[in-house]
Amino acid sequence: MPTRRARIPATRYPVERFTLDNGLRVVLTPDRSAPVIGVAVVYDVGIRSEPEGRTGFAHLFEHLMFQGSENLEKLAHFRHVQGAGGTFNGSTHLDYTDYFETLPSNALERALFLEADRMRGPRLTEENLRNQVDVVKEEIRVNVLNRPYGGFPWLTLPPVMFDTFPNAHDGYGSFDDLESATVADAADFFRRYYASGNAVLAVSGDIDTTETVALIERHFGDVPARPAPDRPDFAEPALTAERRTAYTDKLAPLPAVASGWRVPDPVGDFAAYLPYVVLAEVLTDGDASRLVERLVHRDRAVTSVGGYLGFMGDPFDVRDPTALLLQSHLPPGGDVDKVLRTVDEELDRLATDGLADGELARTQARMATHLLRDTDAVLGRALRMAVLEQQRGEPGLLGELPRLVGEVTDEQVRAAAATLRPERRASVEVIPGGAR
């Protein structure tokens, strides 16, 4: 008897899309329930785009975009957003870089002016570059070099799994590469990737659509037109033999292990990809999930286990090649080999026996809840729609994701589990070197 699936309806967010003459794509999703707006600009450039010899450059450039712009001095962006009662930030991902604000709706024009002004050109000076190189180096020290399990596994697993520079290199960057970056490098990076034709602007929340369109045309319409660059083919062949490595973390008190398996193209083969998203949650989401119940509660072989799609943990904002990841932290003296064998056993059991009655429906309901919660706030909606437009040309897919998750079948999850074989796996083990 097939296991029950969750019946999850689609969420109908209003969506309006248009493209300016300079190539900038725009997504509007009005929501008049509260006087708040979210504004997001997503550029189709990320860690995979940075050239050899310039590791960490995409993230460094994100920092430079906050150091003043064509008409604004350094720190003016901060003052204008915070002075209006808003918040702001930016982030660098494998496949895109985003910049965003949450503001009272009466500050919409202020946000549009700020984003349009730095789209025309940030202040790329030697002083700003050297200052932000130092800031990024300190960020690496805090988040990677001086933190237990720093960079595990998002920095440590890709070079085991992949062979090409775009997919395998350290996205935070080496100090040597960062220090050798020049203003000319930054200007070339801006010219190449920060084009209006390579960007998406999304505005969500308490907006009047007609007025918002007019404001966008006023502020972004005269940004010089530059086309999007050709996106390279980042494809790599799948693994045919298990890869595994280990390293000692001098600060880590306990052992850990992370494994990854290649999965179908999340954009080009979405129907085949989606069961893996559900599978990761079946395996690790909650105390009743397969691997938590077996590894944590029954065997006590690990102290924690997590599973997710994509090296940065979001299954719906990544392109191919990507992976399903499992990571565990072990107790003192824990046996990594035993953990990997147990994972293989549970995957085989799932592929052979399928899911228990209600297991799939429970998982799908939790997933839908998380999806709805993450996009309930206007900024979450704007960011996700901007990325969906950028990568797929389908911002409205945001409202369909809960329903699509609910339509994944037991048979699809079993078939996905059957592909996660040891010979297709790449693993990285952390050997503890810190205080016990």
Side-chain angles (χ1 to χ4, degrees), residues 276-298:
Y276 290 87
V277 182
V278 177
L279 171 61
E281 302 299 312
V282 166
L283 292 173
T284 64
D285 186 28
D287 286 345
S289 62
R290 294 288 178 119
L291 293 182
V292 174
E293 194 281 328
R294 172 74 188 274
L295 287 169
V296 178
H297 298 305
R298 192 196 318 173

Side-chain angles (χ1 to χ4, degrees), residues 2-3 40 88 91 162 183 194 203 235 250 267 311 318 334 345 365 370 381 384 417 419 422:
T3 184
F88 65 94
S91 58
F162 299 119
V183 172
Y194 278 73
V203 183
K250 292 185 292 184
V267 176
F311 290 91
V318 67
E345 290 173 11
H370 294 156
R381 210 173 306 162
R384 181 57 59 80
T419 70

Side-chain angles (χ1 to χ4, degrees), residues 254-320:
L254 298 170
V257 63
S259 299
W261 295 260
R262 288 281 300 278
V263 295
D265 184 340
V267 176
D269 198 2
F270 188 57
Y273 172 78
L274 199 55
Y276 290 87
V277 182
V278 177
L279 171 61
E281 302 299 312
V282 166
L283 292 173
T284 64
D285 186 28
D287 286 345
S289 62
R290 294 288 178 119
L291 293 182
V292 174
E293 194 281 328
R294 172 74 188 274
L295 287 169
V296 178
H297 298 305
R298 192 196 318 173
D299 294 356
R300 300 186 185 277
V302 306
T303 57
S304 65
V305 58
Y308 47 94
L309 272 290
F311 290 91
M312 293 188 169
D314 192 323
F316 303 118
D317 70 353
V318 67
R319 289 166 164 156
D320 191 57

Side-chain angles (χ1 to χ4, degrees), residues 34-204:
V36 181
I37 55 166
V39 177
V41 179
V42 170
Y43 294 89
D44 195 352
V45 57
I47 290 168
R48 281 198 253 240
S49 303
E50 57 198 19
E52 293 192 53
R54 289 292 177 265
T55 59
F57 201 88
H59 175 231
L60 172 63
F61 197 88
E62 175 217 317
H63 279 249
L64 291 172
M65 287 286 280
F66 287 95
Q67 300 307 300
S69 54
E70 187 171 271
N71 292 297
L72 294 172
E73 72 279 8
K74 190 172 184 175
L75 302 181
H77 191 113
F78 299 46
R79 291 197 300 271
H80 283 299
V81 174
Q82 292 172 337
T87 60
F88 65 94
N89 213 329
S91 58
T92 308
H93 301 251
L94 289 177
D95 296 303
Y96 67 91
T97 305
D98 57 22
Y99 303 87
F100 47 87
E101 295 87 18
T102 301
L103 288 156
S105 52
N106 62 6
L108 171 62
E109 185 165 15
R110 179 178 302 205
L112 296 177
F113 165 77
L114 292 171
E115 290 298 348
D117 204 56
R118 64 177 165 187
M119 185 179 286
R120 290 188 189 89
R123 293 201 177 195
L124 302 177
T125 67
E126 185 68 22
E127 178 187 1
N128 285 344
L129 177 61
R130 299 276 70 88
N131 175 268
Q132 293 310 302
V133 166
D134 289 341
V135 170
V136 171
K137 287 168 60 180
E138 185 61 22
E139 191 174 324
I140 294 170
R141 292 186 186 100
V142 170
N143 293 335
V144 180
L145 300 180
N146 296 323
R147 173 178 291 185
Y149 312 103
F152 172 78
W154 78 277
L155 294 179
T156 56
L157 186 55
V160 185
M161 172 166 276
F162 299 119
D163 296 321
T164 67
F165 174 82
N167 297 315
H169 75 276
D170 181 344
Y172 243 142
S174 75
F175 282 13
D176 286 345
D177 283 357
L178 290 168
E179 289 167 352
S180 63
T182 68
V183 172
D185 292 331
D188 182 66
F189 197 80
F190 176 79
R191 179 193 57 78
R192 182 184 300 271
Y193 294 111
Y194 278 73
S196 53
N198 207 37
V200 173
L201 165 67
V203 183
S204 176

Side-chain angles (χ1 to χ4, degrees), residues 202-274:
V203 183
S204 176
D206 182 25
I207 58 172
D208 176 276
T209 300
T210 301
E211 293 177 2
T212 303
V213 170
L215 288 173
I216 290 170
E217 289 176 339
R218 178 186 306 166
H219 291 286
F220 287 89
D222 63 351
V223 173
R226 299 200 315 278
D230 292 334
R231 187 171 187 271
D233 181 1
F234 296 127
E236 292 203 21
L239 298 185
T240 56
E242 184 176 12
R243 295 183 180 182
R244 185 169 166 184
T245 192
Y247 68 97
T248 299
D249 183 335
K250 292 185 292 184
L251 301 176
L254 298 170
V257 63
S259 299
W261 295 260
R262 288 281 300 278
V263 295
D265 184 340
V267 176
D269 198 2
F270 188 57
Y273 172 78
L274 199 55

